[in-house]
Amino acid sequence: MTIRVGIAGYGNLGRGVESAINQNKDMELVGVFTRRNPEDVKLLNGNVSVHMMDDIHKFTDAIDVLILCGGSKNDLPEQGPALSALFNTVDSFDTHAKIPGYFEAVDASAKPNGKIAIISVGWDPGLFSINRLYGEAVLSEGATYTFWGKGLSQGHSDALRRIEGVKGAVQYTIPVPDAVDKVRSGSLPELTTREKHTRECYVVLADGIDGNKVKETIVTMPDYFTDYDTTVTFITEEELKQDHSAMPHGGFVIRSGKTGEDSAQVMEYSLKLDSNPEFTSSVLVAYARAAYRLHQNGETGAKTVFDIAPGLLSPKSAADLRKELL
């Protein structure tokens, strides 16, 4: 059975999803939906149609799983609840503090309409979330630390670009080396958010815009920058294109704790990514497979990565997984 997948939004994440679908033989991309002029959107596969987002309701019978590739600040809070009433969905909503409310909104939409909606999928939230859970469950006495970067954050960069007067921007998250060393030592340090990371923003201003006002808007932005030491550097469009077009990222989750009489144990999971959006897209596609299988089994409502059995992500059978990976 081929899983028919649709993509809502065709930016960096949407392009990555198309590429990932091409690597999964049990999936087929049946359509891309955009708020832009469809004629201006060029896909990797010229045989796939591009449609206006306003027409997406016409395709409910043609799509098994719709992958939502909009931003977390403005797109997904509206699109998640609206589209999960029509389709089985997977999204990468990544504003951690707002996930509980977002879950409730999507669940209230998906469940009465018999749909599955897997929210906040990616590597953080997502794979890192799972490893935080594993760490706490295994080392019940201890502390969990998450470090991101050095890397370009898609969500935070998107938040910068939505500020009035910002023509282009990227944001890098950088772990503080001294904090990382303390955690890996097993000393269980108490670290504030500000002590663990710094944030670097590179911003292109539109003509005639007050840079001081934009900088103040950035460093005081809740959920994104206000809790961090943030630097803002204004650059030209040429510098942005030349020096900041790549999208590397990564990070690590560390659980440090004690077992037995006084045995120090450290668990660490890490990622080093050349392309943040392409990796995130690959995670979304794997969870689209899980969404399809859950829907086939009659399950409904919103789910998170905590609710999904690992075997549902793999194209392999349960028997093959036991034989090859267990």
Side-chain angles (χ1 to χ4, degrees), residues 141-290:
E141 293 186 6
T144 301
Y145 306 86
T146 303
F147 292 94
W148 301 277
K150 178 182 180 179
L152 187 150
S153 170
Q154 294 178 96
H156 288 71
S157 297
D158 178 66
L160 290 177
R161 290 189 291 267
R162 291 178 183 271
I163 297 172
E164 184 177 357
V166 171
K167 198 172 183 180
V170 294
Q171 184 265 311
Y172 297 93
T173 300
I174 304 172
V176 176
D178 182 60
V180 176
D181 291 341
K182 288 179 180 178
V183 169
R184 284 180 170 155
S185 73
S187 63
L188 299 175
E190 293 186 8
L191 300 170
T192 65
T193 296
R194 194 174 300 276
E195 288 173 327
K196 290 192 295 182
H197 297 91
T198 58
R199 296 198 185 277
E200 292 183 356
C201 305
Y202 294 86
V203 178
V204 179
L205 293 175
D207 293 339
I209 296 300
D210 182 358
N212 290 328
K213 182 177 179 181
V214 170
K215 180 177 180 179
E216 181 65 18
T217 301
I218 292 171
V219 300
T220 59
M221 187 183 295
D223 301 321
Y224 287 87
F225 300 107
T226 189
D227 293 328
Y228 300 85
D229 288 336
T230 301
T231 60
V232 179
T233 302
F234 296 111
I235 59 175
T236 65
E237 285 187 273
E238 290 74 19
E239 289 173 320
L240 181 68
K241 183 177 181 180
Q242 179 178 325
D243 301 331
H244 303 282
S245 58
M247 296 188 181
H249 217 319
F252 27 96
V253 175
I254 303 173
R255 177 70 176 180
S256 178
K258 304 287 185 180
T259 60
E261 293 297 322
D262 197 29
S263 298
Q265 319 283 16
V266 178
M267 301 170 61
E268 182 169 344
Y269 175 82
S270 66
L271 294 172
K272 184 178 181 180
L273 312 175
D274 276 349
S275 172
N276 182 3
E278 288 183 7
F279 185 82
T280 301
S281 298
S282 295
V283 183
L284 285 165
V285 168
Y287 276 87
R289 180 180 294 111

Side-chain angles (χ1 to χ4, degrees), residues 3-206:
I3 303 171
R4 302 170 300 170
V5 180
I7 297 174
Y10 197 73
N12 292 322
L13 198 59
R15 284 189 291 273
V17 168
E18 182 186 8
S19 179
I21 290 171
N22 291 338
Q23 295 178 324
N24 287 268
K25 296 180 180 179
D26 61 337
M27 296 187 181
E28 175 190 6
L29 178 60
V30 297
V32 170
F33 300 86
T34 179
R35 290 174 298 196
R36 290 179 278 165
N37 182 349
E39 295 181 358
D40 295 335
V41 178
K42 305 302 179 185
L43 307 184
L44 301 173
N45 185 346
N47 296 320
V48 176
S49 298
V50 182
H51 308 275
M52 290 294 296
M53 189 74 76
D54 290 344
D55 292 331
I56 199 168
H57 63 280
K58 301 176 182 178
F59 294 84
T60 54
D61 293 332
I63 294 172
D64 295 315
V65 182
L66 181 68
I67 300 180
L68 310 185
C69 297
S72 297
K73 187 170 178 60
N74 294 321
D75 298 330
L76 291 178
E78 177 183 337
Q79 293 177 354
L83 294 176
S84 62
L86 302 173
F87 302 93
N88 299 311
T89 62
V90 179
D91 71 54
S92 60
F93 184 80
D94 66 358
T95 307
H96 292 264
K98 296 183 178 180
I99 286 176
Y102 181 68
F103 179 95
E104 295 297 330
V106 172
D107 189 58
S109 176
K111 187 170 290 182
N113 289 289
K115 302 300 181 182
I116 281 284
I118 308 179
I119 72 159
S120 299
V121 170
W123 57 276
D124 199 1
L127 301 183
F128 273 18
S129 311
I130 295 170
N131 281 275
R132 285 190 284 265
L133 185 153
Y134 284 154
E136 290 187 5
V138 173
L139 297 176
S140 55
E141 293 186 6
T144 301
Y145 306 86
T146 303
F147 292 94
W148 301 277
K150 178 182 180 179
L152 187 150
S153 170
Q154 294 178 96
H156 288 71
S157 297
D158 178 66
L160 290 177
R161 290 189 291 267
R162 291 178 183 271
I163 297 172
E164 184 177 357
V166 171
K167 198 172 183 180
V170 294
Q171 184 265 311
Y172 297 93
T173 300
I174 304 172
V176 176
D178 182 60
V180 176
D181 291 341
K182 288 179 180 178
V183 169
R184 284 180 170 155
S185 73
S187 63
L188 299 175
E190 293 186 8
L191 300 170
T192 65
T193 296
R194 194 174 300 276
E195 288 173 327
K196 290 192 295 182
H197 297 91
T198 58
R199 296 198 185 277
E200 292 183 356
C201 305
Y202 294 86
V203 178
V204 179
L205 293 175

